[in-house]
Amino acid sequence: VCSSDLILMVVLESWQADSLNAEVMPHLSKFSQHSTRFEKHLSSGAVTVPGLFGLMYGLHPNYFELFKSSPGRNPSLFTETMHQLGYETRVFTSSNLDGFSLRKLFFPHVPEQRIVTDASDEKIVAGYLASASVPSNKPRFDFLFLTSSHSPYTYPPEYARFKPLPTVEGGFALNRQADAVPYKNDYHNSLFYLDTLVGKILAAEKKSGALENSWIVITGDHAEEFNENRMGYWGHGSNFTRWQTQTPLLVMSPGQFVAKQEKNLSLHQDVVPTLMQEALGCAAPVNTYSNGLNLFQLPEQRGTILSSYMTQAYWFDDMVFDRTTNKKYDWRDIKQTRSLDDTEAVRALILEERR
């Protein structure tokens, strides 16, 4: 039995957790006052593909390469279940999901006319708003992936709220210890722009009454670093510290009107089992189809697996153990090396990634 008319998932490219505040993102900050905000949320990767994979599968990112090799045999159980339940899935994105077989993995049953792509996030959102006003007698899953907040951070001139701006685009590549303020201002302007677009979506859904019986999930594919640790790291995909892996997660359940905060560690891998149980009525034990947990039943301690395009790491107790380089460092500060005291935690993660 379908328990919600709409499941809306909005993913913002390269969204650093610290950027979700009233100054940079006023609409989403206001939305957080009526949803559950997960204060310590980790993507499954420091780059887009493993980040989206963990989000859409509820699995650790180490499964991706195997599944990509035969996407027809390994579709997302989450989207497959919605298809079987009669959900109408629609996709709106300024990214190319055909790369890395993501479209075949995530949305094998979605016809061309329900996949809207454009280089402009503004046009993507306009298309979504126009289609959302068309009545439907089916429950819907709407997936939006907006990318203006990916370098080089695009936005109309009127959204340049934060200044000064860089005089040379990407100049940090020539000076790894460059002043981060102009570059982060540029990035924050792109998020300010996306916040306005997402605000229009939320306002339209509220006006239509859809929010009363909807699940809304808003998160990022991964985070973005601006040399916060003073080690010359910029952007994403170069380490697994919080600056590249901690992204916001906001979840509104049907009928939720008050803010909640969850301080225990949450993961991208937790979103699918939560929606499977809470929105789709799946009674099977979570561990039969996911490495994640229900977001509303999180333990105080746990570990996880993180991935980039070339490297993978184990994470537990705020420590990153990079499997490729064998480096062990503090998740909050890469300058702080850590020792591997809890070998049992690593063994548990190894078993989990092989399950």
Side-chain angles (χ1 to χ4, degrees):
V1 176
C2 301
S3 62
S4 59
D5 297 328
L6 170 67
I7 300 174
L8 171 62
M9 184 179 292
V10 180
V11 182
L12 304 185
E13 173 71 54
S14 307
W15 191 12
Q16 188 193 91
D18 289 11
S19 298
L20 179 54
N21 59 66
E23 185 180 19
V24 177
M25 310 188 78
H27 295 93
L28 285 175
S29 292
K30 183 177 180 180
F31 177 75
S32 72
Q33 298 170 13
H34 306 279
S35 59
T36 303
R37 180 169 179 168
F38 294 83
E39 302 285 357
K40 190 176 182 179
H41 182 74
L42 277 182
S43 171
S44 41
V47 288
T48 296
V49 171
L52 291 181
F53 178 81
L55 182 66
M56 295 298 291
Y57 272 76
L59 295 173
H60 291 321
N62 60 283
Y63 286 89
F64 171 73
E65 289 297 333
L66 175 64
F67 284 18
K68 184 187 73 169
S69 64
S70 53
R73 295 205 307 267
N74 297 288
S76 163
L77 183 65
F78 173 52
T79 55
E80 283 291 293
T81 302
M82 286 188 289
H83 175 70
Q84 293 166 9
L85 289 174
Y87 273 73
E88 181 178 89
T89 296
R90 306 183 309 171
V91 179
F92 301 81
T93 180
S94 51
S95 179
N96 179 15
L97 294 179
D98 288 320
F100 297 94
S101 299
L102 295 185
R103 180 175 168 183
K104 292 180 181 178
L105 288 166
F106 298 167
F107 308 114
H109 301 292
V110 182
E112 286 287 340
Q113 64 268 28
R114 293 213 300 269
I115 296 183
V116 180
T117 59
D118 195 284
S120 165
D121 282 333
E122 184 175 18
K123 291 181 180 179
I124 289 294
V125 171
Y128 176 79
L129 293 174
S131 65
S133 63
V134 178
S136 174
N137 59 359
K138 293 183 177 181
R140 291 197 335 257
F141 171 57
D142 289 340
F143 177 85
L144 286 86
F145 181 31
L146 306 178
T147 62
S148 293
S149 48
H150 190 287
S151 178
Y153 315 126
T154 56
Y155 50 89
E158 60 268 28
Y159 288 89
R161 164 183 279 193
F162 303 99
K163 296 179 179 179
L165 296 175
T167 55
V168 178
E169 184 179 298
F172 54 79
L174 302 175
N175 176 12
R176 306 303 291 181
Q177 296 300 332
D179 180 9
V181 171
Y183 300 104
K184 203 159 190 178
N185 284 343
D186 202 25
Y187 168 68
H188 281 165
N189 288 337
S190 70
L191 288 174
F192 180 51
Y193 170 54
L194 285 182
D195 177 75
T196 302
L197 296 181
V198 177
K200 292 179 180 179
I201 294 172
L202 296 173
E205 298 294 1
K206 182 178 181 179
K207 184 177 180 180
S208 70
L211 288 187
E212 296 178 7
N213 194 33
S214 299
W215 282 88
I216 313 293
V217 177
I218 305 176
T219 189
D221 55 345
H222 51 77
E224 188 85 333
E225 183 168 4
F226 293 87
N227 198 24
E228 281 87 353
N229 281 325
R230 307 302 301 167
M231 293 290 286
Y233 291 106
W234 299 80
H236 52 270
S238 54
N239 65 61
F240 297 103
T241 59
R242 66 171 292 246
W243 304 108
Q244 297 192 29
T245 58
Q246 184 183 8
T247 192
L249 174 65
L250 299 174
V251 177
M252 175 186 277
S253 57
Q256 181 175 350
F257 300 105
V258 297
K260 298 179 183 177
Q261 286 81 38
E262 173 58 67
K263 296 189 181 300
N264 287 337
L265 178 71
S266 60
L267 309 174
H268 264 19
Q269 294 91 310
D270 299 332
V271 173
V272 160
T274 304
L275 293 174
M276 290 282 282
Q277 285 192 325
E278 305 291 341
L280 305 180
C282 179
V286 166
N287 65 3
T288 61
Y289 60 88
S290 174
N291 298 119
L293 301 169
N294 190 309
L295 284 165
F296 304 112
Q297 302 169 19
L298 297 176
E300 290 187 7
Q301 287 189 321
R302 63 194 299 204
T304 189
I305 296 170
L306 301 165
S307 181
S308 187
Y309 289 128
M310 303 298 293
T311 60
Q312 287 192 339
Y314 299 124
W315 185 105
F316 54 91
D317 190 27
D318 285 355
M319 186 192 84
V320 174
F321 176 17
D322 190 313
R323 292 169 44 185
T324 307
T325 64
N326 211 36
K327 291 181 179 178
K328 305 170 189 68
Y329 55 84
D330 193 275
W331 175 68
R332 300 178 186 276
D333 185 354
I334 198 171
K335 297 190 301 292
Q336 304 296 321
T337 58
R338 295 276 297 271
S339 59
L340 183 59
D341 298 322
D342 192 349
T343 56
E344 286 302 317
V346 172
R347 290 194 186 97
L349 289 171
I350 291 172
L351 290 174
E352 190 68 8
E353 71 178 343
R354 293 177 178 174
R355 183 158 66 84

